[in-house]
Amino acid sequence: VMGDISSAIVSDIPEQTCTGSRIEPEVEVTLDGKTLVRGVDFRVSCTNNIKVGTATATIIGIGDYEGVIRKHFSIKKAPTPIFADVDYSSWYGDAVTFVAEKDLVTGYSDSGLFGVGNALTRAQLATILYRNANPDASPDFRPRNTTGMPDVEGFTWYTAGVNWAVENGVINGYADGEGNRVAFGPDDSMTLEQLVTAIANLSADEEDLPGTGETAAILRPFRDRWSVSPWARPSMAWAAQKGLVAGYDEPDGKHLRPSENISRERAVVILMRAFELGILE
C-alpha cells in the first residue's frame, strides 16, 4: 500500500536570503509519526526560488509514497554590501549604493572591496550590463566561450557576460584590418567612449543616433571633440544630447576626454545617471 504524502505534515521553512542563485531549502516531512527521507520517500521541486518574494516548495512522493503537497516560503533581499574603501559621503557614494542595491556590482571576491581608483575593465562592464539584462541568471553560471575570440576564457566569472555582450552587439571586440573580430580584451581598461558606445549599442536604436551634421553640432562645445574616435562620435553625441555625459570644465572650456580610462566609481555614476534618465531599465 502506497503512503499518501498529501496528508503529511511539512514543517515551516525559515525565511531565506536571496543569493542570486536558486534556493533549495531543507524540508522536514512527517507522515503518521514517521520522518520521511528526502531522496528516498520524496523529492522537492522549487519554483520562484531565485528572486525576492514568495517561493513554493512542491514535495512529491517517490518510492513507497505518492501524492503531492506544497509549502510556501519567503525570500528576503540580501543586505546591501558596505565596501570599506568607499567614502559614502563623496560624489560617487550614492552611485555605489545604487548599483550595489541592484546587485550589479558586488565588489572583488578576494577582498570584498569596491575598487575605488581602479579602472573598469571590459569584462567587468560586460558582466554589469549582463546582470541588469538577466536578473534571474545565476552567478554560478559559467559557460564555455562562444565569442570565437581566443582571449576570452571559458568557465570564468565573466564568460557569461562577455558571451552575452558579443552576441547582442553590446561590446563587439577588436577588429583586424579586414573587419574580423579577433580579440575582446577582457582585462583592458574601459575608456569613456567605449563605455558610452556600449550603452548606446544596448539602448539606442539606429534612428536615435544623430547624423553626421547633427553629431558635429552637438560635439562642437567640447574643446577636444576631434579626439573622439570616428566610430564613437555618434554615440558620444547621443550621450551628450541625452545628458548622460557633460564633460569636464577646464579653463579653456569643456573637455570630454574620450580616451580616458574610466575608474570604477566614475563608471557607476554614469550608469546610475543612465537609469535615472530612463536609458537603462
Side-chain angles (χ1 to χ4, degrees):
V1 178
M2 300 284 286
D4 186 359
I5 211 167
S6 62
S7 59
I9 298 172
V10 181
S11 63
D12 290 337
I13 301 173
E15 185 177 50
Q16 307 290 306
T17 300
C18 182
T19 63
S21 301
R22 296 187 181 278
I23 294 175
E24 305 285 347
E26 293 297 321
V27 178
E28 184 177 309
V29 181
T30 305
L31 181 62
D32 296 332
K34 176 186 177 182
T35 299
L36 304 188
V37 179
R38 187 169 182 167
V40 176
D41 302 319
F42 68 92
R43 64 182 178 88
V44 180
S45 175
C46 295
T47 55
N48 299 323
N49 59 332
I50 298 178
K51 299 176 70 175
V52 172
T54 301
T56 301
T58 301
I59 296 94
I60 304 164
I62 60 174
D64 292 333
Y65 296 89
E66 61 183 0
V68 171
I69 190 169
R70 292 177 176 84
K71 191 76 173 181
H72 301 296
F73 62 95
S74 297
I75 301 176
K76 65 180 180 180
K77 183 175 178 60
T80 302
I82 301 297
F83 304 109
D85 60 335
V86 170
D87 177 0
Y88 286 92
S89 65
S90 69
W91 58 273
Y92 63 84
D94 288 345
V96 172
T97 298
F98 180 88
V99 296
E101 287 182 342
K102 293 180 74 67
D103 297 323
L104 302 182
V105 177
T106 57
Y108 296 126
S109 59
D110 58 344
S111 66
L113 299 179
F114 176 81
V116 174
N118 294 347
L120 182 77
T121 68
R122 291 166 61 84
Q124 289 168 358
L125 179 64
T127 301
I128 289 169
L129 296 179
Y130 165 76
R131 287 172 178 165
N132 186 61
N134 301 272
D136 292 336
S138 169
D140 299 325
F141 177 53
R142 300 191 174 194
R144 64 184 180 86
N145 170 25
T146 61
T147 66
M149 301 181 201
D151 64 339
V152 176
E153 292 185 50
F155 316 109
T156 70
W157 63 268
Y158 70 73
T159 311
V162 171
N163 285 348
W164 169 86
V166 172
E167 180 181 347
N168 290 278
V170 178
I171 305 175
N172 295 310
Y174 301 122
D176 61 16
E178 298 179 353
N180 300 310
R181 301 293 173 179
V182 295
F184 186 86
D187 296 324
D188 291 356
S189 299
M190 179 67 64
T191 65
L192 173 63
E193 62 183 9
Q194 290 173 355
L195 171 62
V196 165
T197 299
I199 295 174
N201 288 343
L202 179 61
S203 304
D205 295 327
E206 188 67 30
E207 57 270 21
D208 294 332
L209 299 178
T212 303
E214 190 180 3
T215 292
I218 295 169
L219 296 180
R220 190 170 293 121
F222 300 100
R223 301 285 294 177
D224 59 346
R225 60 189 178 277
W226 301 116
S227 64
V228 179
S229 300
W231 52 265
R233 285 173 189 163
S235 297
M236 288 292 286
W238 169 82
Q241 190 176 47
K242 288 281 190 181
L244 185 59
V245 295
Y248 296 95
D249 289 318
E250 298 186 6
D252 64 341
K254 284 187 175 294
H255 288 247
L256 282 168
R257 301 181 193 170
S259 60
E260 178 184 61
N261 291 338
I262 294 292
S263 67
R264 286 168 60 85
E265 62 269 27
R266 187 176 178 213
V268 298
V269 169
I270 293 173
L271 290 170
M272 182 177 73
R273 191 177 301 151
F275 281 102
E276 292 173 341
L277 293 170
I279 294 171
L280 293 178
E281 298 180 351

